[in-house]
């Protein structure tokens, strides 16, 4: 029995290590790192699932049943408005499209459309599978579900329009979580890692691997969960990064590794 238990524990340890390891790609994929420009406070009670900056307003979606909500306000400050999700909904990714905000749920199979200013719920639209990350391009939404596939959706009806598989050559990348759309690119947090992928949305090709490790101190990491939150700063090449239960929001620029 002890032998079986030891084998089981060894397998669990190995699988956990694999799940948390950074994605790899061949040497042709550029490597970047997150260079910190400024640090802002972040609510350590927020299990961050979605982050987006629209104008001067930072929108954040949080998860966990009983604690899920959407918040909006100035970056680094207390939210000016917030809306809670009722049980048993588990909030996930968010994105702002004009005067509307879409919010995913994890395993509840519904997307919630809200008024972007008041966060009032307007309607719910069913979808199949899990919801993880969400962002929008000019004429479509981009959604992740934890796999290597991104799904494109109509920004009005939420109907699926097509999919693309994220890859570098013959290697695929899964565990795609929180998303941020910038032009024709999609930035994706890879769950349980400190890696962000820059993806060409049209082809699914990974254009860069971004190392966002080292943002938290060892002491801060003891109280925090994984990196999961990326928001482009409009009009710049900078981003805001944070994570689940993180104490800080980091304004960064992605630069080449030395």
């Amino acid at each position: 029995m002890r032998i079986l238990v030891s084998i089981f524990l060894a397998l669990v340890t190995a699988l956990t290590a694999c799940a948390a390891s950074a994605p790899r790609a061949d040497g042709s994929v550029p490597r970047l790192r997150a260079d910190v420009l400024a640090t802002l406070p972040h609510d350590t009670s927020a299990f961050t699932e979605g982050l987006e900056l629209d104008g001067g307003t930072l929108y954040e979606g949080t998860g966990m049943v009983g604690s899920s909500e959407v918040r909006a306000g100035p970056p680094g400050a207390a939210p000016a408005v917030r809306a809670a999700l009722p049980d048993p909904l588990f909030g996930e990714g968010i994105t702002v499209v004009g005067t509307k905000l879409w919010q995913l749920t994890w395993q509840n199979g519904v997307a919630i459309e809200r008024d972007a200013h008041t966060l009032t719920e307007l309607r719910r639209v069913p979808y199949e599978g899990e919801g993880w990350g969400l962002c929008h391009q000019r004429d479509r939404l981009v959604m992740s579900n934890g796999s290597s596939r991104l799904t494109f959706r109509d920004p009005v009806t939420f109907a699926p329009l097509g999919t693309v598989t994220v890859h570098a050559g013959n290697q695929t990348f899964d565990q795609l979580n929180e998303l941020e759309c910038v032009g024709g690119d999609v930035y994706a947090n890879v769950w349980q890692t400190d890696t962000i992928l820059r993806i060409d949305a049209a082809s699914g090709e990974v254009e860069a691997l971004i190392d966002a490790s080292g943002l938290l101190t060892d002491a801060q990491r003891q109280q925090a969960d994984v990196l999961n939150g990326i928001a482009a700063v409009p009009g710049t090449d900078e981003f805001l990064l944070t994570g689940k239960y993180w104490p800080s929001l980091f304004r960064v620029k992605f630069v080449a590794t030395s």
Side-chain angles (χ1 to χ4, degrees):
M1 178 62 72
R2 288 185 179 181
I3 294 176
L4 291 175
V5 170
S6 297
I7 293 173
F8 173 77
L9 291 175
L11 286 172
V12 170
T13 301
L15 289 171
T16 302
C18 290
S21 62
R24 298 180 180 179
D26 62 45
S28 64
V29 178
R31 263 68 169 178
L32 306 176
R33 62 178 176 83
D35 183 35
V36 177
L37 306 176
T39 303
L40 299 171
H42 180 253
D43 182 3
T44 55
S45 71
F47 193 77
T48 306
E49 297 288 7
L51 199 71
E52 187 162 301
L53 191 58
D54 185 64
T57 301
L58 182 67
Y59 292 86
E60 182 170 9
T62 68
M64 304 301 284
V65 174
S67 302
S68 294
E69 63 178 27
V70 184
R71 312 166 172 191
V81 60
R82 59 207 305 167
L85 275 71
D87 294 355
L89 299 182
F90 188 121
E92 282 284 347
I94 60 169
T95 194
V96 178
V97 185
T99 61
K100 303 296 193 302
L101 178 145
W102 281 106
Q103 179 182 25
L104 299 177
T105 56
W106 180 31
Q107 296 178 322
N108 306 105
V110 292
I112 301 170
E113 185 184 46
R114 298 180 179 275
D115 181 285
H117 301 295
T118 65
L119 302 184
T120 301
E121 181 177 327
L122 302 176
R123 60 175 171 144
R124 297 184 184 184
V125 179
Y127 61 84
E128 294 184 1
E130 295 185 357
W132 286 41
L134 190 67
C135 65
H136 78 278
Q137 297 179 311
R138 178 173 299 179
D139 57 353
R140 63 185 182 181
L141 305 177
V142 185
M143 174 179 166
S144 66
N145 64 1
S147 70
S148 60
R149 186 177 67 254
L150 296 176
T151 299
F152 305 117
R153 293 184 176 275
D154 186 283
V156 176
T157 66
F158 210 73
L161 302 175
T163 64
V164 68
T165 298
V166 175
H167 65 283
N170 294 324
Q171 179 185 355
T172 59
F173 293 82
D174 61 5
Q175 304 296 303
L176 305 178
N177 203 355
E178 215 270 311
L179 305 178
E180 179 71 0
C181 292
V182 181
D185 292 334
V186 175
Y187 290 79
N189 285 270
V190 180
W191 186 49
Q192 292 187 326
T193 78
D194 290 320
T195 299
I196 297 168
L197 306 180
R198 190 181 77 213
I199 305 158
D200 176 70
S203 65
E205 187 76 28
V206 174
E207 299 176 321
L209 291 171
I210 302 165
D211 180 7
S213 63
L215 296 177
L216 298 180
T217 66
D218 290 341
Q220 289 172 330
R221 276 202 170 275
Q222 298 302 313
Q223 306 298 322
D225 207 303
V226 296
L227 172 76
N228 196 48
I230 176 169
V233 179
T236 75
D237 58 353
E238 299 167 8
F239 295 82
L240 298 178
L241 300 182
T242 194
K244 304 173 189 288
Y245 303 141
W246 279 29
S248 300
L249 183 71
F250 298 92
R251 185 163 180 155
V252 305
K253 180 179 288 189
F254 299 142
V255 299
T257 56
S258 55

